[in-house]
Every structure is written in structure tokens, then in C-alpha cells.
Amino acid sequence: MEMDNTTFGLTMLICGMGGTLLTLWIMSLVMTVLGRLFPEKAEPKKEG
Amino acid sequence: MLEAILNGLGGLVAGFQALALDWRSIIMLVIGGILLYLGIKKDCEPLLLVPIGFGCILVNVPLSDLMAKEGFLRVIYDAGVDTELFPLLIFIGIGAMTDFGPVLAQPSTFLLGAAGQFGIFLTLLMALFFGFTKLEAVSIGIIGACDGPTAIYVTSKYAPHLLGAVSVAAYSYMALVPVIQPPIMRAMTTQAERATVMKYKARPVSKTTKILFPLVITILGGLIAPKGLPLLGSLMLGNLMRESGVVSRLTKASENEIANVVTLFLGLCIGATMSGAAFLKPQTLIVLGLGFVAICLDTVCGILFAKGMRVLSGGKINPLIGAAGISAFPMAARVVQREGIKYNKKSYLLMHAMGANAGGQVGSVIAAAVMLSVLAGMGIIS
């Protein structure tokens, strides 16, 4: 049975926007973890 | 003899006769001229509007058959747009040009890039209300990604007859971001909110993190939304080449030669879809109108989301940065900076806005990828 337009639109809104927010939230967490696992190391001071 | 001469001369005036009989071609020649004017005189996305405008003129010269089978523009269209190759090649260039450092330094700004995609889905709902089919509505909604290649990729695949209108809307409104966004930003925020100073502590990002970012995003994004992997993967390939620093020739080729050649062909092909018969329909006006609404809704939702973050952070966030969560990079971030400084000379929002804007760039691709995978999940596309 073909889905009606209202059901389709609301499903896209909920799954699409929800999925986008969830995906980017997971990615932001992964980036935070990456940043902690591989922090920028300070350059050693060159001795004159 | 005389008859042969008359017939020969008839061949030279046939184009004029056909043009005089086809009012739509005349209007489209004028529209092509307007696009060229906007690109050349007004500097609105000239890299695209000039080839689009010229392509529009070419395809509307009667009897030229440039989009007929084996016509010059048809060959380019079939090779690059029909196969979805051109938008993906452009994405490699965009990835090679984009520094995701600001968003890596502040991963929370990534979420603003998600909020800026609400317009896609709300516009999709509106397009359905206006009687468009499901896949047409998806293609119209994607204008809200504020991202030309994404809009072209989705539309060429699922509603190719709307490609001209959707592309023109996407690129025109992207160019108009500095005009469209400020009134909405002012209407949605109070003076005190706009004057909020956000502290920026430059957090250095290691090279390892910058290299791992495109790899992790590709794998993770591909697992969540495999249908959008061509888009995400090509963007991230460009970025990996940039951040690895070992293939500078390829990086430069991607952001210069390849991107330039493909932009030229892509623009011509978009213009070539704008024949009078295909473009001059009431639905084109509706598409243009919905595209405008999509970008307004992106801005509204981005600011509302930033307002939510402001509440949660105890007033430390300036909600203007929410407007930068769209894909128009770095234009949207500059608009935020310009607006912020109008209300507080000490306000320096650029780096925060760049983070949201880079998030918007990834967000628009993720939104399209998620959308395609949800469509596949529902059995609407294969």
C-alpha cells in the first residue's frame, strides 16, 4: 500500500532531522574523543 | 535555380521564424541574460551564473539541438550530471579547500550545523502540500541544504526535470545569504542577545586528529547513511588529501583545475536544462519560492537552536552564531561576524561562526545522506 503524503512528510521530518541531529551529535562526540586521544603537543623549546 | 537560392536563404531565416513563433524561448533568452547580468555586473556567484546563463541562452536558440541526442550539451550532461559525477568531483574540491579546524576545536558547534538543516525537512513538507510528488518534494527540500552540489546530486537523481529550477534557486539564494539572513537574525534575537561577547580560546588541533577526522566521518557516516556515502566520501577524500599534506599536487588539482573545469561544465549543463518548455511552468515559481522559504527556515531554526544552547550555557552563547549553521561557507560566518560587531564592538564571533559554518557544510551532506537512506529504508528509492 502506498504511503500517503502526510505520513511520508512527517516520517521524513522525524527520521531525517532526528537522524541528522543524532549523526552529528555522535560525530561531535567522536571528535571530542579524538581531540583528547591525540592532543596537540607543544613544540619543545629549542636551546640556544 | 531561383528556388534553390530561396530555399537556401530560407535556411538562414528559419531560426528567426522559429523564435518568433516560440514566446517561451524569447523569455528564456531574457532570463539567461539576467543571469549573466547578475553574475557579471552584480558579482553574484559569477563562476556559476555565467556558465548557467550562457547555457540557458544556448539551449533556447531555436533549431540548434544542443540538448538533442548527441548534441554538444547533451553529451556533457549525460557524462557528468546523469552519472552524478560532476557534483562529486566538486565535492572533492570543496573538501580540499575547507579547513575543519574551527569545528574540531569546538565540536559542540557541529550541532549548530545540524539545526541549520531543519529547513530541508520543513520545506519538503510544504512541497508535498503544494502537490509535488514525494521525490520532487525531496529535491525541492534539499535547496535548504544551501549547498549547490548536494542539491544537484539529489535532484539529478530523483527529479531531473526540476534540475534547472532547483539549481538556480540553490545558487541564487546562496549568493543572497548576506541579504536574506540579517533581517531574520534581527527579528529573532534581542539587542542583549546580539551584543553577547563569546570568549574564544584557540584550542590547537593536532595533525593526527585532522587526518583521522575525514576517515572517521567517512566510515561512521557511511555506516549510518550508506546512500549518501558518495557525497560524504568525496568531501572527506578532498579533506584527507589537504590535511595529510603529502599529495599537494592532487590537492591543488582538486581545488583548482578539476573544480574549475567541472564548475564550467556543470554550469553549462544546468543552463541547458532551462529550455522554455521545461522551465516556464507555474511549478518553477513555486520551487523558487519554496527554496527561499527553505533558507529562511534554516536560519530561523539555527538561531532557535543557538538560543537553546544559550539557555543551557547560562547565557554564554550569542544566538547569532546559529545562523551560520548552513553550508554557505564562509559567507554565513562572515554575515554573523558583521552583524555581531554592529551591536558590540568587542564582539568577535567569527571563529565560533566558522565552527558552526564548517559544521553546516558537513551537516548539509549528512542531512542529504540521511534523507536518502531513510527513503531507501521506506522503499521509495532502491
Side-chain angles (χ1 to χ4, degrees), chain B residues 26-331:
Chain B
I26 297 172
I27 293 177
M28 289 312 295
L29 289 174
V30 173
I31 290 176
I34 292 171
L35 293 175
L36 286 174
Y37 173 78
L38 289 173
I40 296 167
K41 287 292 277 185
K42 298 289 175 187
D43 205 30
C44 284
E45 297 279 338
L47 290 177
L48 274 149
L49 288 191
V50 169
I52 289 176
F54 202 78
C56 174
I57 288 174
L58 282 177
V59 83
N60 284 291
V61 173
L63 311 179
S64 56
D65 291 337
L66 292 174
M67 275 299 269
K69 198 181 173 207
E70 294 181 5
F72 146 62
L73 292 177
R74 171 60 68 187
V75 172
I76 302 175
Y77 183 92
D78 288 347
V81 178
D82 217 23
T83 57
E84 298 142 24
L85 197 61
F86 285 168
L88 298 179
L89 289 173
I90 295 262
F91 258 124
I92 297 177
I94 293 175
M97 287 178 225
T98 308
D99 176 15
F100 287 108
V103 78
L104 284 167
Q106 282 184 300
S108 61
T109 52
F110 224 45
L111 290 175
L112 289 168
Q117 314 307 322
F118 261 106
I120 296 176
F121 300 97
L122 294 171
T123 308
L124 185 156
L125 268 174
M126 280 190 269
L128 289 170
F129 174 76
F130 275 100
F132 287 96
T133 65
K134 293 182 179 76
L135 291 179
E136 284 174 343
V138 165
S139 302
I140 295 166
I142 207 72
I143 300 172
C146 220
D147 184 337
T150 302
I152 292 165
Y153 180 85
V154 173
T155 309
S156 64
K157 210 166 176 174
Y158 300 113
H161 53 289
L162 293 181
L163 186 62
V166 168
S167 310
V168 168
Y171 281 111
S172 306
Y173 296 142
M174 267 168 67
L176 290 173
V177 158
V179 180
I180 295 171
Q181 284 200 319
I184 301 171
M185 291 157 86
R186 287 192 284 270
M188 296 286 302
T189 51
T190 64
Q191 179 110 12
E193 285 173 335
R194 291 193 291 272
T196 306
V197 175
M198 285 179 75
K199 285 180 187 159
Y200 182 73
K201 196 176 154 193
R203 195 182 304 162
V205 180
S206 68
K207 187 171 168 122
T208 311
T209 305
K210 285 187 171 180
I211 291 174
L212 285 175
F213 168 74
L215 287 171
V216 171
I217 296 293
T218 301
I219 295 169
L220 195 59
L223 288 172
I224 295 172
K227 281 279 167 192
L229 191 56
L231 286 170
L232 191 60
S234 47
L235 180 72
M236 290 299 145
L237 168 64
N239 192 248
L240 177 65
M241 293 195 301
R242 171 196 168 97
E243 298 302 345
S244 70
V246 294
V247 284
S248 57
R249 279 168 53 196
L250 300 186
T251 310
K252 280 181 188 154
S254 302
E255 61 185 332
N256 295 311
E257 290 86 356
I258 295 174
N260 290 342
V261 170
V262 174
T263 301
L264 169 63
F265 287 157
L266 189 60
L268 272 175
C269 288
I270 294 167
T273 63
M274 295 168 66
S275 66
F279 196 81
L280 289 179
K281 291 176 178 172
Q283 69 174 25
T284 302
L285 282 179
I286 302 174
V287 171
L288 295 175
L290 287 172
F292 178 75
V293 172
I295 289 174
C296 293
L297 286 172
D298 284 342
T299 310
V300 168
C301 295
I303 292 172
L304 286 176
F305 196 85
K307 280 187 169 225
M309 287 174 78
R310 178 184 170 85
V311 173
L312 292 175
S313 68
K316 289 178 188 160
I317 305 268
N318 186 323
L320 289 181
I321 64 165
I326 59 172
S327 186
F329 186 89
M331 201 190 294

